[in-house]
Amino acid sequence: MPPSMQGHLAMLLFSALVAGSFSFGSMIANEIAPLALTAARFVIAGALIGTAAALGPGLRCGQFRAPWRYVVLGGLFGAYFVLMFEGLKTAPPVSAAAVFTLTPVMAAGFGWLVLRQITTPRMALALALGAAGALWVIFRADLGALLAFDVGRGEAVYFLGCVAHAVYPPLIARLNRGEPALVFTFGMMMAALVLLVAVGWSDIRATDWAALPWLVWAVLGYVAVFASALTFVLLQFAALRLPSAKVMAYTYLTPSWVLLWEIVLGRGTPPALVAAGLGLSVLALVLLLKDEGARRAAARA
């Protein structure tokens, strides 16, 4: 299987797992402080990734040279998760997922700034369609709200987190010095955990962990194992095989996955006009995949 196809499959699974964190995260966003939740999430995920790295490629001191790299990446991803759960306090899951789909446009820009990755005309069209679909959902198919830029506080807060998320893939490719994905992910997560504890110690101490509802622990388990540990590895894996814009392109599927999660959880569906915006996101993904196929065919010619 070509490396690029491996990257595509990794991101397909990534989008499905990430989507669950929106639906489940909104259920507990007001039950625990975002900093405390994210710190606990990184403890569990870090333990899993560290164990896998130790049993797999192994952990050696030389792999953690230039530790500032891990601090930069860990700070970005830690900020993303804290702002995500802060935003989910008020933003509906589908709307938050739509905000997430703005990251490919930003990732394309950061990809050019950091790696000088070029966006093809077809890719630019796909990114524009995806962004249009995202804005349609974020403003709930209300043209007046769009023109007035009447965006909810939760969506605005989460957008700041998505900026941090968008710069992450090109920085992985730039800062990785040949370390295995598991090792690099573990170093990043440990750096993020140190930063989270330093910044959020008061929230961590104030949390009555023993009195938390079982639902909080269940969601924490999901986001730590599936939407953190596994997705971190998938993102690292794909970022080393695909351009940054294509890595983040799979976020276009996230709102559709969230819609399915919401239906399964019995939480209803958005109005038809809002759901139409999801169709633009899926179309954007299809165009990006076709662009990848055309590029590979031209390379073989």
Side-chain angles (χ1 to χ4, degrees), residues 7-205:
H8 286 302
L9 291 176
M11 289 309 299
L12 182 63
L13 180 57
F14 169 91
S15 64
L17 294 174
V18 166
S21 65
F22 288 96
S23 293
F24 293 129
S26 66
M27 298 167 68
I28 66 165
N30 292 296
E31 299 289 339
I32 181 173
L35 280 166
L37 174 64
T38 306
R41 175 182 193 168
F42 275 64
V43 168
I44 298 172
L48 293 172
I49 293 294
T51 301
L55 296 176
L59 296 171
R60 294 179 292 277
C61 292
Q63 296 167 329
F64 300 99
R65 62 191 184 280
W68 63 268
R69 298 176 297 151
Y70 299 103
V71 173
V72 170
L73 293 172
L76 287 171
F77 236 42
Y80 165 74
F81 283 116
V82 170
L83 292 171
M84 173 187 176
F85 281 99
E86 184 65 34
L88 282 172
K89 288 182 177 181
T90 55
V94 174
S95 293
V99 175
F100 189 49
T101 64
L102 293 174
T103 54
V105 176
M106 295 185 286
F110 287 127
W112 183 85
L113 289 173
V114 177
L115 302 172
R116 289 299 186 265
Q117 291 176 342
I118 303 299
T119 300
T120 66
R122 182 179 292 182
M123 187 186 297
L125 173 61
L127 294 174
L129 285 174
L135 291 173
W136 189 251
V137 175
I138 292 168
F139 291 99
R140 297 166 181 81
D142 186 343
L143 185 59
L146 175 60
L147 293 176
F149 206 73
D150 183 16
V151 63
R153 177 186 178 277
E155 288 88 343
V157 168
Y158 183 45
F159 175 77
L160 296 177
C162 289
V163 174
H165 194 289
V167 74
Y168 184 75
L171 282 182
I172 291 174
R174 172 53 67 92
L175 299 180
N176 184 278
R177 298 180 180 177
E179 295 89 355
L182 281 171
V183 174
F184 204 61
T185 301
F186 177 69
M188 179 274 296
M189 294 183 74
M190 290 301 96
L193 179 58
V194 171
L195 293 173
L196 286 166
V197 171
V199 174
W201 181 242
S202 59
D203 285 344
I204 295 172
R205 287 188 59 188

Side-chain angles (χ1 to χ4, degrees), residues 239-255:
L240 297 175
R241 289 162 175 79
L242 296 171
S244 298
K246 282 191 171 65
V247 168
M248 301 312 297
Y250 275 89
T251 61
Y252 288 141
L253 281 184
T254 303

Side-chain angles (χ1 to χ4, degrees), residues 200-217:
W201 181 242
S202 59
D203 285 344
I204 295 172
R205 287 188 59 188
T207 300
D208 187 353
W209 297 95
L212 289 175
W214 69 268
L215 181 61
V216 173
W217 289 107

